[in-house]
Amino acid sequence: MRVKIGVLGAVAAWDEAGDPLALKGPRHRAVLARLVVAHRRVVPVTRLTEDLWDDPPARAVGSVRTFVGDLRRALEPDRPPRTPSRLLVTEGPGYALRAAKEDVDAWRFEQTVDALADAGPERVAAGLGEALGWWRGPAFADFGDERWLRTERARLTELRLHAVERRAEARIALGEAAATVPGLDAHVTEHPWREDAWRLLALALYRSGRQADALSVLRRARAMLREHLGVDPGPRLRRLEEDVLRHAEHLDPGAGSGIDDVWSRATAAYESSLGSRARTRLESTASLMRDLAVTGGGGLEAARRHRVAAVAAAEQLGDPELTARVIGAYDVPAVWTRSDDPEQARWLVGAAERTLRLLPSGGHDATRCRLLATVAVESRGTLPADESAGGAAARPLRAARQAEEIARGLGDPALLCFALNGTFMQTFQRAGLAARRDAVGAELVALAARHDLVRYEVLGHLVRVQARCALSDPAGAGRHASAADELAARHDLPLVSVFTTWFRALRTAMTGPPDAALAAYADAAGCLHGSGMPGLQQGLLPLALLSVRLRHGLPAGGPGDLPADGSGDRSGGWGPYEPWVRPVLLVGEGRIPEAARALRDVVPPPRDLMYEAMWCLLARAAVAVGDRALMARARTALAPAAAEQGGAGSGLITLGPVADHLALLADGAPD
């Protein structure tokens, strides 16, 4: 049964038919509310007792467990006895609410507002109109001024007020100015400190042909702000009053408004000032692509495409210094070690190396550093078989070391962060280097935080999420995931949640039962669609589900019996992992001779974040078929990671402790 939970009003729950569920007393509803506030994160039992009682009684922990048990029976009445809850789960020291975002009205409301951030006025007006209808009263209306509730209630209230104003702005843009006036008038009466609400009311009045009323509203706003806050109106209100007095053209119903108008005028002015200055245009394009890449899936794909075009155009001009600046401007932090477009990455590496050879020998240290860092970052997952190898295979590793050395000598924090990103991408010479990557992540976090380099601070936290998982520290990884999420929310970096969502699925896989882990991964897969990261997405869900099955001794299965992911997709291809997965699947189906033949043909896995995971798969298959040569190679490859979790350095999956695989290899080895 699917349950809907509501906190936009009194705390309540309903079944699939829309009938209310009995949640018993106020303490039960308080536990549910507290878990909603945690946003799917675990709330320790001790924290629950502190939040529910000012002075917790002696049996407070037992009471909380009783409340949780009662809630589980109310929310999952059809759950068989002695089976774990899939909605209100026990994890580590506490509990978490693992409802889908669309099943909790506050989460659904926030998701809807975020999804409409860049939408046109028609979608905004319709979508926010529906979403605002979900509010039945003040958020968590049946609770007082609880300290654990203050921040979340204030945040949701601000989000609702923002949605009211955005919807009104969209309706004004659609020519419905007169219809918005009554609602905006009530809105400013109830919330007189919101300058944007006053601005929208005055604009709606003006577009309704009521210029005098618009001016009156603006003067009321000025008087209220001065009298009660002792401040003058902000620049937008002052500018609107001037525009109303002079009947500015852009106030007409057909003209652009707000952010769209500012953007249009600014870009037009920029186009006009640049004229045909190709070099300046190319550098500006490269900088724009850097910002576009972090906006989400479509932006990331467009940034990659236009970046190549900009570099190619710069090379055609025959100016290596310009080409170097265009290449080096794209210092977008990268945390995943498989390229989204390998052919494009190889081309960019080639362009960077050509430009390095053409640069004048004297000076240009910072430019040279950026080119070397680009080589290191874009050559992800292509390290040679051993560190001493020469030729083209060793170049990315040398480039990373040279870039870091130059950046440290120059003392440029942003440049050093870029170089450290390259260093991270090349710290896969062998298995067992999670502690080294953790140190790189720690330096990135500290350096970026000191110099307000937010994107690299996020990168450092994500690197540490991966490393702490490999080092069997899910709690430490969780702290870094939360820090990354907080920065991403504050600075509008939507792709970060892809990695933190998958980390939380991994944490469930590390600590929870197989059913919970399989469900968590199926849910997490939904955030991959539209992310613009095929190098991460391809084959990941099947691999994650396989990792759970193998760890718990379940049948390995195959792509055909995968559950649908968050998008309903059941295709389930193994993607780039197929060569190392196939032998395990064949063993699981009892096709030992075919598995042995597949192992004879298999090549070593790439040296990237999945390196240990792929060797763990090969180790299992080699033992099953008795391939002694491959068992010896697997022992050599995995031995340096004996203290780590196999595959968990990805921050996405785990096949369990590497030590267990080494023991399996030892047991399967000949005397």
Side-chain angles (χ1 to χ4, degrees):
M1 183 182 73
R2 199 160 177 190
V3 174
K4 301 288 186 181
I5 297 169
V7 297
L8 301 181
V11 176
W14 303 270
D15 62 18
E16 288 176 309
D19 296 322
L21 299 174
L23 298 180
K24 290 199 171 185
R27 299 275 191 208
H28 296 76
R29 292 196 302 278
V31 170
L32 183 58
R34 181 64 183 85
L35 295 178
V36 169
V37 168
H39 288 264
R40 295 172 61 93
R41 294 188 293 272
V42 173
V43 181
V45 174
T46 52
R47 172 62 62 82
L48 283 169
T49 61
E50 293 168 2
D51 288 340
L52 262 61
W53 290 277
D54 292 331
D55 184 16
R59 297 182 58 81
V61 171
S63 297
V64 167
R65 290 178 175 143
T66 299
F67 299 152
V68 170
D70 292 340
L71 282 170
R72 284 172 170 164
R73 284 187 288 274
L75 298 174
E76 297 176 281
D78 298 328
R79 181 169 54 89
R82 293 182 296 280
T83 59
S85 171
R86 299 183 67 175
L87 185 61
L88 207 166
V89 304
T90 302
E91 185 173 323
Y95 304 100
L97 178 66
R98 291 293 160 76
K101 285 189 176 182
E102 60 268 23
D103 290 341
V104 178
D105 58 5
W107 300 352
R108 185 184 176 198
F109 181 79
E110 184 173 3
Q111 189 176 42
T112 300
V113 173
D114 289 343
L116 294 169
D118 299 317
E122 292 90 351
R123 283 185 57 209
V124 170
L128 292 184
E130 180 185 0
L132 288 165
W134 303 334
W135 286 73
R136 297 168 287 113
F140 305 92
D142 44 351
F143 291 96
D145 190 28
E146 304 287 352
R147 66 180 183 276
W148 53 269
L149 191 54
R150 291 172 194 158
T151 300
E152 182 68 357
R153 178 184 278 149
R155 192 180 68 83
L156 287 171
T157 300
E158 172 60 30
L159 197 63
R160 185 184 72 82
L161 297 178
H162 173 66
V164 167
E165 291 160 10
R166 277 203 68 210
R167 178 173 182 255
E169 188 166 34
R171 293 184 67 196
I172 292 169
L174 292 170
E176 301 173 21
T180 66
V181 169
L184 282 169
D185 198 21
H187 185 62
V188 298
T189 300
E190 189 175 355
H191 307 285
W193 324 120
R194 297 184 69 83
E195 288 193 41
D196 218 36
W198 287 104
R199 181 186 65 81
L200 290 169
L201 176 57
L203 180 61
L205 287 165
Y206 181 86
R207 289 198 177 181
S208 304
R210 299 166 61 180
Q211 181 190 15
D213 290 336
L215 287 170
S216 175
V217 160
L218 291 166
R219 286 159 187 163
R220 276 170 51 205
R222 181 188 299 275
M224 187 278 302
L225 291 169
R226 281 181 173 173
E227 180 180 349
H228 295 284
L229 297 182
V231 298
D232 287 325
R236 299 185 78 189
L237 274 181
R238 295 197 304 271
R239 192 181 309 116
L240 179 59
E241 186 171 8
E242 295 168 3
D243 290 343
V244 168
L245 285 167
R246 64 184 177 86
H247 297 277
E249 283 187 12
H250 70 270
L251 294 184
D252 292 338
S257 63
I259 294 170
D260 291 337
D261 184 58
V262 171
W263 177 260
S264 297
R265 284 184 286 167
T267 52
Y270 188 66
E271 281 284 318
S272 174
S273 67
L274 278 185
S276 59
R277 284 181 279 168
R279 286 168 168 76
T280 306
R281 282 174 178 263
L282 278 175
E283 291 192 61
S284 298
T285 299
S287 298
L288 181 61
M289 292 310 102
R290 175 184 58 200
D291 293 333
L292 182 62
V294 299
T295 61
L300 180 57
E301 291 169 348
R304 285 199 298 265
R305 185 170 63 254
H306 295 308
R307 178 193 182 193
V308 168
V311 173
E315 282 198 294
Q316 288 176 4
L317 291 173
D319 183 344
E321 294 179 40
L322 170 66
T323 305
R325 291 196 298 273
V326 171
I327 294 172
Y330 193 87
D331 54 352
V332 177
V335 72
W336 189 241
T337 49
R338 185 177 291 277
S339 176
D340 293 315
D341 189 333
E343 285 300 319
Q344 184 188 89
R346 278 192 286 274
W347 187 89
L348 286 166
V349 168
E353 291 179 330
R354 288 192 298 273
T355 307
L356 275 167
R357 291 193 294 270
L358 292 171
L359 276 179
S361 56
H364 303 287
D365 285 349
T367 302
R368 198 176 303 277
C369 178
R370 286 186 172 276
L371 290 171
L372 289 165
T374 299
V375 170
V377 171
E378 294 296 340
S379 300
R380 59 190 86 184
T382 59
L383 276 168
D386 70 84
E387 193 175 352
S388 62
R395 288 204 303 265
L397 185 58
R398 290 198 300 269
R401 291 170 174 167
Q402 291 168 10
E404 185 178 342
E405 181 181 356
I406 294 171
R408 291 191 187 281
L410 292 174
D412 182 332
L415 195 59
L416 180 54
C417 283
F418 189 18
L420 287 171
N421 198 170
T423 297
F424 161 73
M425 282 294 178
Q426 300 301 322
T427 50
F428 299 90
Q429 299 96 323
R430 58 172 174 79
L433 289 175
R436 168 72 178 121
R437 293 192 286 278
D438 194 39
V440 172
E443 183 173 5
L444 276 168
V445 170
L447 182 65
R450 280 199 308 272
H451 297 281
D452 199 26
L453 302 169
V454 174
R455 294 173 187 175
Y456 280 110
E457 188 177 357
V458 170
L459 172 66
H461 284 300
L462 293 179
V463 169
R464 298 207 72 187
V465 167
Q466 297 169 342
R468 298 319 300 174
C469 286
L471 298 171
S472 303
D473 180 18
R479 288 191 292 274
H480 288 290
S482 296
D485 278 334
E486 183 180 341
L487 287 166
R490 200 184 315 150
H491 298 278
D492 195 21
L493 303 172
L495 293 179
V496 173
S497 65
V498 174
F499 294 97
T500 56
T501 298
W502 271 84
F503 153 69
R504 293 185 176 96
L506 166 61
R507 186 171 58 186
T508 301
M510 294 176 77
T511 59
D515 286 350
L518 292 171
Y521 277 131
D523 287 344
C527 69
L528 288 170
H529 293 276
S531 68
M533 294 187 287
L536 176 68
Q537 180 180 349
Q538 290 170 355
L540 182 55
L541 177 59
L543 184 64
L545 300 183
L546 175 66
S547 70
V548 174
R549 289 168 171 163
L550 292 178
R551 284 190 66 217
H552 291 276
L554 302 174
D561 67 346
L562 290 173
D565 62 23
S567 70
D569 179 24
R570 292 181 182 272
S571 60
W574 295 102
Y577 309 112
E578 193 270 343
W580 304 285
V581 169
R582 188 193 320 132
V584 173
L585 298 181
L586 291 171
V587 167
E589 294 172 8
R591 297 157 64 183
I592 302 302
E594 291 178 60
R597 285 196 295 274
L599 287 174
R600 283 197 295 272
D601 296 336
V602 79
V603 298
R607 292 175 180 263
D608 58 18
L609 280 164
M610 290 293 190
Y611 181 68
E612 289 92 344
M614 297 302 102
W615 269 115
C616 286
L617 292 176
L618 290 176
R620 287 171 176 266
V623 170
V625 306
D627 187 330
R628 297 177 181 179
L630 186 56
M631 288 165 62
R633 290 167 60 198
R635 279 197 304 273
T636 300
L638 289 172
E644 294 184 9
Q645 290 281 325
S650 65
L652 310 173
I653 69 161
T654 181
L655 287 156
V658 171
D660 290 353
H661 291 81
L662 290 170
L664 179 68
L665 288 165
D667 291 342
D671 293 331

